[in-house]
Amino acid sequence: MTQEVDVRELVQAADLGGRKPTGAARAILASTCLIWSLLQLWYASPLPFTFNTFILNDTEMRSLHLGLALFLAYLAYPFAKSSPRDRVPLPDWLLAGAAAFCGAYLFIFYRDLSTRPGQPTPVDFATAVAGMILLVEATRRVVGPPLAIIAALMLFYAFAGPWMPDVIQHKGISISKAVSHYWLSTEGVFGVAVGVSASYIFLFVLFGSLLEKAGAGNYFIKVAFAFLGHMRGGPAKAAVVSSGMMGMISGSSVANVVTCGTFTIPLMKRVGYTAEKAGAIETAAGVDGQIMPPVMGAAAFLMAEYVGVSYAEICKNAALPATISYIALFYIVHLEACKAGIKGLPRRAGTSALGRLAGILMTLCALVILANVLYFGLGWIKELFPQAAIWIVLAAIVVVYLGLLRIVAAEPDLIVDDPNADVIELPPLKETVLAGLHYLLPVVLLIWVLMIEHLSPGLSAFYATALLIAILLTQKPLIAMFRGQSAPLARFRVGWSDLLDGLVTGARNMIGIAIATAAAGIVVGTVSITGFGLVMTDLVETVSAGNMIFMLFLVAVICLILGMGMPTTASYIVVSTLMAPVVVELGAQSGLVVPLVAVHMFVFYFGLMADVTPPVGLAAFAAAAISRGDYLRTGFTAFWYSIRTGILPFMFIFNTELLLIGVHSFAHLVLTIATAIVAMLVFAAATQGWFLTRSRWYESLAMLLVTFTLLRPDFWMDFAFPRYDVSPPQQLMEMVHDAPPNSGLRLRIEGTTIEGREVKKTVLLPLGDEGSAAQRLAKTGLTLMSLPTGVQVAAVGLHSKSEKAGFEQGYAVTGIETEAQRPSQEWMIMPALLVLTVIVLLQRRRTQTAVRSVEAALPS
């Protein structure tokens, strides 16, 4: 019991704030959270424009969003560990009020501020200075000291630029400029990060909170155990799958670990995993939930804004790496079970392996059929009835919902089992799957409006949340009615209570994200006003001596350090602001054109890896608290399990097909997915030292080589055949004209930067629709000038595609790279699979020899 209390307190402190006040303070805290959730729902919905009431622009909403977050931060998070938890001291009330006023200042005085941009008054000065101080203190309380220290150092660097060492020196900024830049504009604290937090992230966090209150979290865990609990190491496999499903809707590593881990970790220990390995498996699975679309720890929405692509595109890019990472972890726990001789939980009486397999296949087939019916059926309705389609779809949702609830009512309720009970019986597969099918309706609706209807993430989340609210209010009364129970409407109160609790919990979950995005805005603002990003580029280039692999390794280490002690969202903002431009620029100078989304995925993955890197990883601490294992050993084991996630960014920087970029046919897609899965499974076997049996050192080394070849087949092909042919720059206009629509040209350019540094690099010039060469170049913002010596850049449009690609005025185009005619790189897969086959045959022979030896030793 003490253990459970400790874990709950850990989650309370990490995600909701450590304070649980009573009396009026509790009512004010809950009411403010409720108001915040309702405000966000109102802002995301079409209702303000329907009723032409309380329409907020983006800046006003960012200000209100941060003002409420700061107010709640000082109420929910105590000053120190020794501060009272059952009440809010008077100083915190005063700080909360002052912080709320500073945060909401742009909303309160929006009209006045819009009439005097760049001319702050004394009140503006005082508010901005107080707001920055209060924000840094709120960050220390809510997010922890690391981000607060980084934000404070960035502010110090902005003012102390003239006195810095030569390598990081800048001219400094005035107080007036700092006030306008950091607090009274959308360049600093109220920048893109807070805007995304207010527009998108809140709704998805609220959606996850309400889905959990509805019972979906328990449903995911039970379904995973029904499918996998009987297998070798079954509880560990169920932990991986259930954490993956929870990660799709959860924005918190710690909450993911604790939600699933309180049930899975004791069961893993029961079947034979050590406390440290059980905790490490749950930690690795819980943290990897942050790379699983659609939420991705809230970073997906920020990435879409920073990269400049749609949110659906980010989800598509992230899907394959996340999936193969979870498949590899699933295989790792299987290998651990093989090494230790661990079995699964006992099967239910009267079930057979064939029957369970048939049930699994029928369930999967039903899901595939349902997906196709939804896709083609809704598309057909939209085509035939364009005006009435929305009402037809709503009616269909109501009918399907009632039908699913009738099925659910015929099954027993899903209860949370005690993992420490004397006898653990696997839940029945069919009954378990049927008992929560209605929870999938909001998820299906969310995916549909996002991926098919292409609505904005905020509006999509609003519609899905509205459906979820209806489910919360009606599921218990309707189930009671279908079961013929008395007074079904009396259960409406329970649903209403769950709804209010979910709205309050969702807002409390958002405090940390809102504060983190605002504090990270200080870092973004400092980089933009001082040019610190160029300093980081020069520093990494100098240390790495221009070596691309060493440069990426250095960036990965910096991301790990910057990400320690910070939540996923803040970590991503900081590391992407500082390190993403470094990878793009130095990659271009090495002749490697890296898509911006691949760079952001790279820094995001390594910022996330900090969550499992001792001694800071809070998720490992939570898992160790449940398993009663050693925290450091749990953390290091989880880090070793997570190395499979760590190699993926290095691979997709060079092989963007892993992000499904450049995959143009179904056959190519199948080949890409299959080779990626095989590669990760082989890598897991190599790192675990076990494949069919215990591996010899040279077999593990060969498997690592196979992994590398499957993930980067182009590496070996480049030794035999050049990848690109180089054409003279005089052919540029002709090649621009002939290029396919929405393609790009790889150009070699060189010139002198404004700082006087000579640069040679390769960039990708994006080309839009068909047209003349001049028209296509004009759309990219690029103006070229033909000279006797070649082609020179005459002008580059501000914020244009060409500027983002790396063109600068005065640069010369020295060559045009085109794909060379050479054998397909996929041919390199064949020798890799041949080596793998040899390893399989060697290990199988050793296994058979060992079996025969055991049989010979047995008495006849």
Side-chain angles (χ1 to χ4, degrees):
M1 190 67 182
T2 307
Q3 167 199 334
E4 293 179 4
V5 172
D6 291 341
V7 172
R8 289 198 193 99
E9 289 179 353
L10 177 65
V11 179
Q12 181 82 6
D15 288 336
L16 305 179
R19 189 173 277 155
K20 293 184 284 186
T22 57
R26 178 184 178 182
I28 292 173
L29 182 60
S31 300
T32 307
C33 289
L34 183 61
I35 290 169
W36 193 12
S37 290
L38 294 175
L39 173 66
Q40 293 286 166
L41 286 168
W42 174 267
Y43 176 69
S45 74
L47 297 178
F49 302 98
T50 303
F51 297 104
N52 197 28
T53 302
F54 198 50
I55 299 174
L56 298 170
N57 64 35
D58 191 41
T59 303
E60 290 175 317
M61 189 61 212
R62 293 181 190 189
S63 179
L64 270 178
H65 182 77
L66 183 58
L68 287 166
L70 286 168
F71 181 75
L72 291 170
Y74 281 98
L75 296 187
Y77 289 81
F79 175 76
K81 290 183 178 179
S82 58
S83 301
R85 298 294 198 272
D86 59 344
R87 61 185 177 85
V88 180
L90 179 60
D92 280 355
W93 282 110
L94 298 175
L95 290 173
F101 173 78
C102 294
Y105 191 74
L106 268 66
F107 168 75
I108 298 170
F109 299 103
Y110 182 76
R111 289 185 178 275
D112 291 342
L113 290 168
S114 63
T115 61
R116 45 182 172 82
Q119 298 175 326
T121 64
V123 176
D124 296 341
F125 271 108
T127 302
V129 172
M132 296 294 285
I133 295 171
L134 289 168
L135 173 58
V136 173
E137 165 58 14
T139 304
R140 183 196 67 80
R141 292 188 183 202
V142 177
V143 183
L147 182 57
I149 292 171
I150 290 174
L153 288 175
M154 282 292 180
L155 287 172
F156 175 77
Y157 172 72
F159 290 109
W163 301 280
M164 290 283 126
D166 289 343
V167 69
I168 59 172
Q169 193 176 81
H170 64 95
K171 65 180 182 179
I173 59 174
S174 65
I175 294 287
S176 176
K177 189 174 183 180
V179 165
S180 297
H181 186 78
Y182 284 110
W183 202 263
L184 301 180
S185 73
T186 55
E187 298 295 323
V189 170
F190 297 98
V192 171
V194 168
V196 173
S197 177
S199 301
Y200 308 143
I201 297 176
F202 193 106
L203 267 294
F204 278 83
V205 171
L206 182 61
F207 179 76
S209 174
L210 292 174
L211 202 56
E212 173 67 22
K213 288 295 176 186
N218 181 45
Y219 174 68
F220 289 157
I221 295 172
K222 300 281 279 191
V223 167
F225 266 86
F227 271 109
L228 306 166
H230 67 286
M231 294 182 177
R232 183 186 289 270
K237 292 174 179 175
V240 172
V241 174
S242 59
S243 292
M245 291 191 291
M246 284 295 296
M248 293 175 69
I249 61 170
S250 171
S252 167
S253 298
V254 178
N256 197 356
V257 167
V258 171
T259 301
C260 299
T262 49
F263 183 69
T264 61
I265 289 175
L267 288 179
M268 282 189 267
K269 291 172 64 180
R270 169 176 288 199
V271 297
Y273 290 95
T274 65
E276 287 75 21
K277 286 186 176 180
I281 289 167
E282 186 56 62
T283 300
V287 170
D288 269 10
Q290 307 294 284
I291 66 173
M292 180 64 73
V295 176
M296 292 173 64
F301 313 103
L302 290 162
M303 203 177 294
E305 292 291 324
Y306 289 156
V307 177
V309 298
S310 69
Y311 168 75
E313 189 71 17
I314 294 294
C315 289
K316 186 192 83 171
N317 296 144
L320 181 57
T323 302
I324 63 176
S325 182
Y326 263 106
I327 290 173
L329 181 59
F330 189 91
Y331 188 49
I332 285 172
V333 302
H334 175 75
L335 294 175
E336 289 284 11
C338 290
K339 288 191 286 186
I342 296 172
K343 304 296 182 183
L345 292 172
R347 301 177 189 272
R348 288 181 64 88
T351 61
S352 65
L354 186 61
R356 295 186 66 84
L357 179 60
I360 291 172
L361 291 176
M362 289 178 64
T363 303
L364 293 176
C365 290
L367 290 175
V368 171
I369 293 171
L370 177 63
N372 281 278
V373 168
L374 286 170
Y375 182 84
F376 293 106
L378 292 178
W380 176 73
I381 291 171
K382 188 178 178 183
E383 187 175 329
L384 285 183
F385 310 100
Q387 301 300 323
I390 182 65
W391 302 108
I392 296 173
V393 170
L394 284 175
I397 288 175
V398 172
V399 172
V400 172
Y401 174 56
L402 292 174
L404 290 177
L405 280 189
R406 193 166 190 88
I407 295 172
V408 170
E411 308 297 336
D413 290 332
L414 292 176
I415 60 172
V416 180
D417 295 328
D418 180 6
N420 299 304
D422 293 335
V423 177
I424 294 292
E425 188 176 47
L426 288 178
L429 178 60
K430 176 187 172 184
E431 291 82 352
T432 304
V433 171
L434 294 177
L437 282 176
H438 62 295
Y439 295 133
L440 301 180
L441 273 179
V443 179
V444 169
L445 178 64
L446 176 64
I447 294 172
W448 171 262
V449 293
L450 263 178
M451 304 298 183
I452 309 301
E453 297 295 329
H454 299 292
L455 299 185
S456 71
L459 190 57
S460 301
F462 168 76
Y463 286 133
T465 304
L467 176 58
L468 189 51
I469 290 173
I471 290 175
L472 264 168
L473 291 174
T474 61
Q475 62 174 346
K476 290 179 180 177
L478 287 173
I479 289 173
M481 184 181 71
F482 286 135
R483 288 175 176 171
Q485 297 173 344
S486 60
L489 291 179
R491 291 164 175 78
F492 182 81
R493 289 185 180 180
V494 180
W496 178 255
S497 176
D498 288 340
L499 172 61
L500 293 180
D501 195 16
L503 291 172
V504 171
T505 303
R508 290 195 71 165
N509 282 330
M510 266 304 299
I511 298 172
I513 295 176
I515 297 297
T517 52
I522 297 175
V523 179
V524 176
T526 300
V527 170
S528 65
I529 204 171
T530 63
F532 186 67
L534 296 174
V535 173
M536 291 297 296
T537 303
D538 291 340
L539 181 63
V540 172
E541 183 181 19
T542 301
V543 175
S544 65
N547 183 285
M548 188 66 184
I549 297 296
F550 187 56
M551 181 271 290
L552 289 173
F553 180 76
L554 189 62
V555 169
V557 172
I558 293 172
C559 291
L560 279 173
I561 295 171
L562 289 174
M564 283 188 181
M566 286 196 284
T568 305
T569 312
S571 170
Y572 167 68
I573 297 169
V574 172
V575 298
S576 65
T577 301
L578 294 177
M579 305 313 301
V582 175
V583 178
V584 171
E585 180 63 25
L586 297 184
Q589 293 179 25
S590 301
L592 179 67
V593 178
V594 187
L596 194 56
V597 66
V599 176
H600 278 260
M601 286 284 187
F602 182 92
V603 297
F604 169 60
Y605 268 54
F606 279 104
L608 178 65
M609 284 288 288
D611 273 7
V612 292
T613 306
V616 182
L618 191 58
F621 187 81
I626 299 170
S627 70
R628 299 183 181 274
D630 180 76
Y631 159 63
L632 284 177
R633 287 179 61 190
T634 300
F636 280 116
T637 306
F639 181 78
W640 181 247
Y641 290 158
S642 298
I643 286 179
R644 79 201 186 286
T645 306
I647 69 161
L648 282 173
F650 284 96
M651 296 299 106
F652 58 58
I653 282 287
F654 295 97
N655 180 14
T656 54
E657 289 179 0
L658 292 172
L659 299 177
L660 302 184
I661 297 173
V663 177
H664 302 299
S665 68
F666 180 74
H668 192 184
L669 174 65
V670 171
L671 183 62
T672 300
I673 293 173
T675 53
I677 291 173
V678 172
M680 289 306 292
L681 295 180
V682 173
F683 180 79
T687 54
Q688 294 303 304
W690 190 285
F691 193 22
L692 302 181
T693 184
R694 190 170 300 281
S695 301
R696 306 268 169 82
W697 67 269
Y698 54 84
E699 291 173 335
S700 294
L701 192 62
M703 283 190 281
L704 291 176
L705 190 63
V706 169
T707 301
F708 179 78
T709 303
L710 292 176
L711 293 178
R712 275 210 62 195
D714 60 307
F715 179 82
W716 305 110
M717 191 64 71
D718 289 346
F719 282 104
F721 303 94
R723 177 177 293 194
Y724 299 105
D725 294 328
V726 182
S727 304
Q730 287 80 3
Q731 298 180 12
L732 178 59
M733 299 302 285
E734 179 184 349
M735 297 178 75
V736 169
H737 180 270
D738 295 339
N742 301 313
S743 60
L745 283 180
R746 291 173 56 96
L747 304 181
R748 293 182 180 180
I749 59 176
E750 60 181 58
T752 306
T753 66
I754 195 170
E755 295 86 13
R757 185 164 54 90
E758 295 291 332
V759 171
K760 292 183 179 180
K761 59 184 178 180
T762 303
V763 298
L764 182 67
L765 175 65
L767 299 173
D769 299 331
E770 293 180 343
S772 68
Q775 290 172 337
R776 300 184 80 176
L777 288 176
K779 289 179 181 178
T780 68
L782 188 64
T783 304
L784 299 176
M785 180 170 53
S786 295
L787 299 174
T789 56
V791 177
Q792 191 173 40
V793 178
V796 180
L798 187 64
H799 303 308
S800 65
K801 294 179 180 178
S802 297
E803 185 187 52
K804 292 179 180 178
F807 288 92
E808 290 188 28
Q809 185 177 359
Y811 277 23
V813 179
T814 60
I816 308 163
E817 295 183 351
T818 54
E819 291 280 349
Q821 293 293 324
R822 66 176 189 173
S824 173
Q825 66 185 29
E826 278 71 27
W827 284 109
M828 298 307 303
I829 295 173
M830 301 302 294
L833 294 179
L834 182 61
V835 172
L836 185 61
T837 302
V838 171
I839 296 172
V840 169
L841 293 175
L842 289 173
Q843 294 209 0
R844 179 174 289 177
R845 188 172 66 180
R846 286 208 307 276
T847 304
Q848 291 172 347
T849 302
V851 170
R852 283 196 294 268
S853 299
V854 171
E855 290 175 348
L858 292 174
S860 56

